[in-house]
Structures are given as C-alpha cells and as structure tokens.
Amino acid sequence: MIEVLAKLGRGPVFLAGEVLECVITFTNPLSASSTSASSEMLAWASAQIHCQFHASENRVALPPTDGSKHDVQAENETVFVPNRGERGQCILSTPPKILFCDLRLDPGESKSYSYCETLPVDGPPSFRGQSVKYVYKLTIGCQRVNSPIKLLRVPFRVLVLHGLKDYQFPQDEAVAPSNPFLEEEEGLKKDSRLADLATELLMVATSRRSLHLYNISNTRGKVGTFCIFKTVYKIGEDVIGTFNFSEGDIPCLQFSVSLQSEESIQEEFQRRRGQPVSFTVHARHQESCLHTAQSSFSLPIPLSSTPGFTTNIVSLKWRLHFEFVTSGESAGTCLVRGSQSEAVTWTGVEQMEVDTFSWDLPIKVLPTNPVLASYVSQFSSTNSITI
C-alpha cells in the first residue's frame, strides 16, 4: 500500500499566468507487520493540468462532436488520461510531466516531487453557473506494474485578469535592486512580478472614485436621487450607495437593492432563440423609507463569486437591481388624524394606492489577490489517495 499526498503550498486559488506549484509525496507506511520484503514498487507517475467544460443540455446547444474520431487509447486503463470519467469536454490542458519512473519505497520511506506549471493565460476562469461550468484540476496518475492507473485529482480555482497577458516585462533589469547572496529561479521571479503587477492593476482600477449621481423618477415625477462613488470593484469589496428622498415629489414607501450576476449564453449557442438570461442574487438590502430623508446600503461581493468574463459560449456581467414602491398619493395623505381631541394621534392609512418600478445599474467586478480568495475557497490545499 502506498499513500499519495498532493499539497498546494500557497493555497487553491491562482491567477491565470501564475505558476502552480504542487508537492507530491509518495509514502510506504510503516506497520507492525512490515518486513524487509514489504517494499513497494511504482512503475511511473505523471501530472497534468486540465480544464473541464460542462454545459446544461436544456440551455446550451453545442455543435455536434465528430463521432468518427474514436480514441482507442482513452479506453485503455494503462494509458494516462487525466479527464477519464469526467463529465463534459476537456477544453484546455498542459503537457503531461513525468515525475519518476521505477520508484521503490521501503517500509516507512517516502519521497517527494515538486510539480510546477504555468497556468495558461488564454483560458476561462473557474465558474459554476446555471448553464455552464468551467472546472480546473491537477491530475496525478501513477501505476503499479501490470495494474490499472490510479488518478488523484486536485481541484483548484483560477481567476482571470484581462490585460495581464498583453503586458511585456522589461528585459533589462540592471537598474533593479538585487541581492547577490540569494538565488532565485527566473520562473519564480517572473511569477512574483506577475502577482505584483496584478495587484497594482487591480488597485488602480478599483481605487478611482468619482461622484455618480442618478435621478430616480417615475411617470408622475421625481422620487429622489441615488449616489455612488465608483462602479468598478474587486470580489470581497462592499458596494456602498446612498439615497436622498428629501427633494422628491413622490413619496417612496419602500426600496430594495440586489447585487446580481447575469449569465447569458451567446446567441449562436442558445437552445431556444431569445431564451431568458439567468440571474443569481449574491446580496440584498430592503428598507421601508416613508418620511425618510436619506438612507444607504452596503452589499458585500462574495470572495467565492466569479468576476465578470466573456467566452465564445457564455458571458457573465454584474449589476445592481433596484425596486421602488412609491405612493400613488401625496405625502400628506399617508397619515390620518385619529382623534379630534386636543391630544392628536397620527396613524398610518390602512390602504393606499402604490406604484412600483425597477432600475438596473451595471457595475464591473474584477478578481482580487488569489491569496485572499484562498481563505474562503471550497477546495482543500491537500488531497490524498491510497493505492
């Protein structure tokens, strides 16, 4: 029996273009019955990253696959096929890398191997929507002699920041400070610079603030104003906005604000022409506001949510969805006098005419530092299998 343990050192979330590093340890456990004849042998082990795509048949019409291309090797259990048994299609994969050949482990002995691979920058982000799913996995395959291949799958999350792949790092870094006593591999150095560049680009894009003021009105007149200071956010940030109803002509009885993502299938892949868009509500604020001069809301963007993106099949956008309930009467008729005596009591009316209307404000949601996203990831940094 051999235990295979795979550990992602930094966590299970990465930016496209970063280097994924995984340490894979093979151990022959020491037991009370172990003898010198209890050595274990593995013929080989290999690792590969792939992205699996799955679409809902009720919502997405994919072009037919070429059934004439029948891969005989995929059915052979002695051939390393990382996505064997997975649903959907493998749309992206890295070249497989061999970890070792002919490994012998004595009882209590273990050996570790480091797997490093740069994540493709032209792939989609990890996404689990109502119509489409993009799932990334690192698959480690190992085999005993004359035995089927055993697969250990390590799921992880990929965030995509557009513009990174077009950035050219300067070739001459002679002016950059360096430490001659530290040796750093070129790949790791570039990976570190990529993460720093992504952090800088995100900071610049999401720190810009300017006043955006919107008038809220219906067919009968002005209800109030809405103020927001930015429309570009990172996942994990809060969307904050304020209302001013003091200058309105129409009383607002209640409002609600929902933070929504909008998943739409490209027209050529829609199962039904003009099929509706799928919405997911991530946060919601509702408030009764009659006779309220000012109000505000704060909606958190979950770290586990997917930033906006577009592929040839699906696009994901974000928006704030507003719903307002206004009075069909003037503000003075919303209260009635309950008594004619000197002690006057004002009470709300039992029934009144209302109008409702809605409004959508598009916003842009970008990725964040993958280390922060790792704290709330559903994936574990450590995965294991026994063969």
Side-chain angles (χ1 to χ4, degrees):
M1 179 179 70
I2 293 181
E3 295 177 355
V4 184
L5 179 70
K7 184 175 182 180
L8 299 170
R10 203 197 64 187
V13 183
F14 300 87
L15 278 172
E18 279 193 299
V19 174
L20 179 147
E21 183 174 0
C22 181
V23 176
I24 304 136
T25 303
F26 299 83
T27 304
N28 183 3
L30 183 63
S31 63
S33 59
S34 297
T35 64
S36 59
S38 302
S39 297
E40 296 280 0
M41 290 286 297
L42 283 178
W44 59 266
S46 184
Q48 185 177 9
I49 292 172
H50 66 98
C51 177
Q52 203 72 9
F53 166 76
H54 178 261
S56 169
E57 295 182 355
N58 296 328
R59 299 170 181 262
V60 182
L62 296 176
T65 57
D66 189 354
S68 61
K69 295 182 180 180
H70 184 69
D71 192 350
V72 178
Q73 287 190 339
E75 298 180 355
N76 190 339
E77 292 186 351
T78 61
V79 177
F80 179 45
V81 182
N83 62 325
R84 187 196 309 276
E86 296 270 84
R87 297 177 61 191
Q89 307 172 11
C90 179
I91 60 169
L92 180 151
S93 62
T94 60
K97 291 185 178 180
I98 297 176
L99 301 178
F100 63 80
C101 291
D102 297 329
L103 175 65
R104 177 189 177 95
L105 294 174
D106 293 328
E109 184 182 7
S110 65
K111 287 191 176 180
S112 297
Y113 299 87
S114 179
Y115 170 83
C116 295
E117 184 62 80
T118 301
L119 297 173
V121 295
D122 53 354
S126 298
F127 178 60
R128 291 182 177 271
Q130 300 182 38
S131 303
V132 167
K133 293 180 175 62
Y134 294 104
V135 181
Y136 282 84
K137 293 180 183 180
L138 164 63
T139 301
I140 301 151
C142 46
Q143 183 183 27
R144 295 175 182 270
V145 178
N146 298 325
S147 298
I149 294 176
K150 298 295 184 181
L151 301 178
L152 170 60
R153 292 193 170 101
V154 182
F156 61 93
R157 181 183 179 193
V158 173
L159 301 173
V160 175
L161 178 59
H162 299 288
L164 271 186
K165 65 179 180 179
D166 300 324
Y167 185 84
Q168 298 294 327
F169 289 101
Q171 299 295 324
D172 185 10
E173 296 184 354
V175 296
S178 61
N179 188 338
F181 300 101
L182 295 178
E183 293 184 1
E184 188 175 18
E185 295 182 8
E186 184 61 29
L188 296 178
K189 185 187 296 184
K190 183 176 180 180
D191 187 43
S192 175
R193 288 184 296 166
L194 186 74
D196 292 341
L197 174 64
T199 302
E200 182 180 349
L201 291 177
L202 288 170
M203 183 65 67
V204 170
T206 59
S207 62
R208 297 172 181 165
R209 281 171 166 76
S210 61
L211 179 63
H212 299 270
L213 198 61
Y214 302 90
N215 287 322
I216 307 169
S217 60
N218 60 11
T219 55
R220 298 179 56 244
K222 183 177 180 179
V223 177
T225 57
F226 171 68
C227 173
I228 193 170
F229 283 93
K230 67 175 189 174
T231 56
V232 181
Y233 301 87
K234 295 179 292 187
I235 55 174
E237 286 191 308
D238 293 339
V239 180
I240 300 174
T242 59
F243 294 96
N244 186 348
F245 299 109
S246 62
E247 300 176 355
D249 303 320
I250 309 300
C252 185
L253 307 179
Q254 180 179 284
F255 73 87
S256 68
V257 188
S258 300
L259 176 64
Q260 300 179 347
S261 58
E262 174 186 340
E263 178 187 354
S264 58
I265 304 300
Q266 307 294 0
E267 186 175 353
E268 60 268 31
F269 293 104
Q270 292 180 2
R271 176 64 65 182
R272 297 177 302 278
R273 191 175 185 84
Q275 68 185 33
V277 175
S278 302
F279 293 99
T280 300
V281 178
H282 300 272
R284 188 171 186 267
H285 176 90
Q286 181 173 310
E287 184 177 329
S288 298
C289 57
L290 180 61
H291 300 299
T292 299
Q294 294 182 338
S295 185
S296 63
F297 66 88
S298 177
L299 300 177
I301 305 175
L303 275 170
S304 57
S305 60
T306 302
F309 72 96
T310 299
T311 67
N312 63 323
I313 295 178
V314 65
S315 68
L316 185 75
K317 300 178 181 179
W318 287 76
R319 71 178 190 177
L320 293 175
H321 178 70
F322 299 83
E323 295 181 356
F324 299 94
V325 180
T326 59
S327 171
E329 306 168 2
S330 65
T333 59
C334 297
L335 295 175
V336 296
R337 190 167 180 168
S339 173
Q340 299 297 327
S341 63
E342 294 183 0
V344 177
T345 302
W346 294 92
T347 61
V349 295
E350 294 183 358
Q351 293 182 348
M352 65 185 309
E353 294 183 1
V354 297
D355 297 321
T356 61
F357 65 97
S358 61
W359 170 52
D360 296 320
L361 175 64
I363 62 173
K364 193 172 184 178
V365 176
L366 302 177
T368 188
N369 189 319
V371 177
L372 296 177
S374 295
Y375 292 132
V376 297
S377 176
Q378 61 176 331
F379 301 132
S380 172
S381 297
T382 304
N383 294 264
S384 62
I385 190 176
T386 301
I387 61 175

